[in-house]
Amino acid sequence: MMEERYFPDFDRVPDEAFVTAWREHLQATGYPDRFENVSTTKPHNLADVRLLSGELRVPTLLREGQSWVPCPLCQPNSPKFQTGRMAWFPHEKTVQFIGHHCAAKHIGEDYRVAEQRFRRERRARNYQKVWRDLQARVPALTALLHKLSPMVQAIDASKLALAKESDGFPAFLQSELTHTGGKVSTLVDTGLMDNRGRRIAERAALGTVVGLRFLDKARLTPKLREAQRILGEIQADLPEWSAASDTDALEDLLRIGHRGTSVVNMVSDLLDAVSDSRMFLHANNLALMERWAAADDSPFDHLSFRRKASWILLDSVSYAGRHRASFRISDAMFAELPFAGSALAKIDLNSIEWSSK
């Protein structure tokens, strides 16, 4: 018979310091059920349970006889499980270490609600942990966007000019190139015959057309402006919140935290889009498309697509019709890309979860 413990001492959800100390005790001793003020008696009112940790595997090698842990929910006096979770029962005013399978079975819907809340609260804590690091990146990210801005404007202006003057051409070209990843080829006669006397042809690669993001309809300027707005918001601290706070405070923190931590990926994607898009109008890329168009099996009857000084000149005849365009491009399009450095280092929220392993 194992000794039962009962400590109805928790009028409020335990703070992070208590949970951290409890977890450290579990890992050091193998006895989560013997930590200070942890109850082991069977709780009778399971409503509104709050989960304080993810699934934790108990190091049973540290326990006497390598025994498993008793489960307060269904077997409080004898060994039952190896993996469990820390929980607070508000109506009982107790904290207990419960088997995760037993909890799902015996607590039911309240357990599923508690799991959803735990995941949201864990994410909120993670936002709190990374926010200072994110704020420290704001100057570097702001400077990066400032340097990208002329390139973004130049790319959008060129995209708009091509789409306006050669209506339908970007969509036609995109449909032809996207499914091959930009790879273009042509059939060539090998000079060989098959066993039926037919000539054997094989496909020969001509190259890869790059910069296909230039053909996307979406403009880059709105993405840049949105990233700049978010960087302005990040300079403010997150709303005050703890596990004892109301739901509105949690929702506000989650909304602002998600928006703030997404900005690194947003800026990284924008940098990639600029790097890719501006290569579409490079002279070598345009020359490759002309060679592809000259092949007998291309979708073109004729294509002249060239860059002369700061001008782009297009004359195309294909199954999609006749397309012409002539427009100027800004020198900013091909300016040196700014160095991002550590400002775009990934923020891994999952690597800092404080009681989930």
Side-chain angles (χ1 to χ4, degrees):
M1 178 73 69
M2 295 186 176
E3 177 188 2
E4 292 189 2
R5 295 152 48 94
Y6 180 58
F7 301 102
D9 301 333
F10 295 88
D11 295 319
R12 297 171 63 85
V13 61
D15 60 21
E16 184 174 344
F18 177 87
V19 175
T20 299
W22 186 6
R23 180 177 176 176
E24 290 172 352
H25 174 86
L26 178 158
Q27 296 297 336
T29 69
Y31 285 92
D33 44 333
R34 293 185 185 177
F35 186 62
E36 179 183 4
N37 294 338
V38 171
S39 298
T40 60
T41 55
K42 183 173 182 176
H44 297 288
N45 191 338
L46 307 181
D48 305 316
V49 63
R50 295 276 293 275
L51 297 172
L52 306 177
S53 78
E55 296 175 3
L56 302 175
R57 187 171 180 83
V58 177
T60 53
L61 289 176
L62 300 178
R63 295 174 66 89
E64 184 177 354
Q66 300 179 20
S67 63
W68 288 13
V69 184
C71 181
L73 297 174
C74 59
Q75 204 166 294
N77 295 310
S78 57
K80 180 62 186 290
F81 67 90
Q82 285 183 295
T83 301
R85 305 185 73 165
M86 303 169 178
W88 173 55
F89 295 89
H91 301 292
E92 301 274 328
K93 299 181 180 180
T94 61
V95 294
Q96 304 191 248
F97 193 71
I98 58 178
H100 65 300
H101 289 314
C102 302
K105 177 180 178 181
H106 293 284
I107 301 177
E109 181 61 25
D110 274 335
Y111 181 80
R112 286 185 283 274
V113 171
E115 170 65 17
Q116 292 175 355
R117 178 165 186 164
F118 169 75
R119 291 181 180 182
R120 293 167 67 78
E121 290 181 344
R122 180 176 61 190
R123 184 156 289 270
R125 292 187 182 96
N126 290 343
Y127 288 146
Q128 290 175 325
K129 286 177 168 62
V130 303
W131 202 251
R132 292 301 180 198
D133 170 57
L134 195 56
Q135 288 179 320
R137 300 189 194 193
V138 168
L141 289 172
T142 301
L144 179 61
L145 291 180
H146 179 73
K147 293 177 182 177
L148 283 178
S149 182
M151 301 181 195
V152 166
Q153 293 177 47
I155 291 169
D156 278 353
S158 297
K159 289 174 63 165
L160 180 62
L162 180 63
K164 183 177 180 180
E165 294 196 25
S166 61
D167 185 31
F169 182 76
F172 151 69
L173 204 53
Q174 187 176 48
S175 69
E176 288 294 325
L177 293 171
T178 300
H179 71 283
T180 65
K183 294 179 181 179
V184 291
S185 60
T186 186
L187 285 174
V188 296
D189 189 345
T190 64
L192 302 175
M193 298 282 190
D194 65 14
N195 56 9
R196 294 185 180 181
R198 295 175 301 189
R199 289 185 175 277
I200 298 175
E202 65 180 19
R203 190 156 290 279
L206 296 173
T208 301
V209 176
V210 296
L212 298 187
R213 293 186 71 169
F214 181 87
L215 299 173
D216 293 342
K217 287 184 178 180
R219 295 167 57 236
L220 300 181
T221 301
K223 297 178 181 179
L224 182 140
R225 299 289 179 247
E226 178 68 4
Q228 289 174 324
R229 280 192 292 270
I230 295 175
L231 288 175
E233 296 168 2
I234 291 173
Q235 297 182 68
D237 290 339
L238 286 171
E240 290 291 331
W241 174 84
S242 70
S245 301
D246 59 34
T247 304
D248 289 342
L250 175 61
E251 293 301 322
D252 287 344
L253 190 152
L254 289 173
R255 175 179 52 80
I256 296 171
H258 173 73
R259 183 171 164 83
T261 53
S262 68
V263 76
V264 172
N265 288 337
M266 188 181 299
V267 175
S268 179
D269 182 69
L270 182 63
L271 182 59
D272 289 343
V274 169
S275 178
D276 181 83
S277 297
R278 69 194 199 136
M279 296 308 296
F280 182 78
L281 295 179
H282 192 282
N284 291 341
N285 206 49
L286 300 180
L288 172 60
M289 283 186 272
E290 286 191 342
R291 291 199 303 274
W292 170 45
D296 291 337
D297 56 340
S298 82
F300 296 92
D301 292 328
H302 164 76
L303 176 66
S304 176
F305 201 2
R306 300 177 183 182
R307 176 184 169 193
K308 292 187 176 180
S310 61
W311 284 86
I312 297 294
L313 305 174
L314 168 69
D315 185 6
S316 168
V317 180
S318 69
Y319 69 80
R322 182 74 178 265
H323 296 98
R324 289 177 173 175
S326 61
F327 55 90
R328 296 189 67 173
I329 57 174
S330 169
D331 291 340
M333 181 179 291
F334 298 105
E336 183 179 356
L337 284 172
F339 176 66
S342 60
L344 293 181
K346 182 180 179 182
I347 295 178
D348 187 0
L349 293 174
N350 294 322
S351 68
I352 57 171
E353 293 172 357
W354 62 285
S355 57
S356 60
K357 296 179 180 178

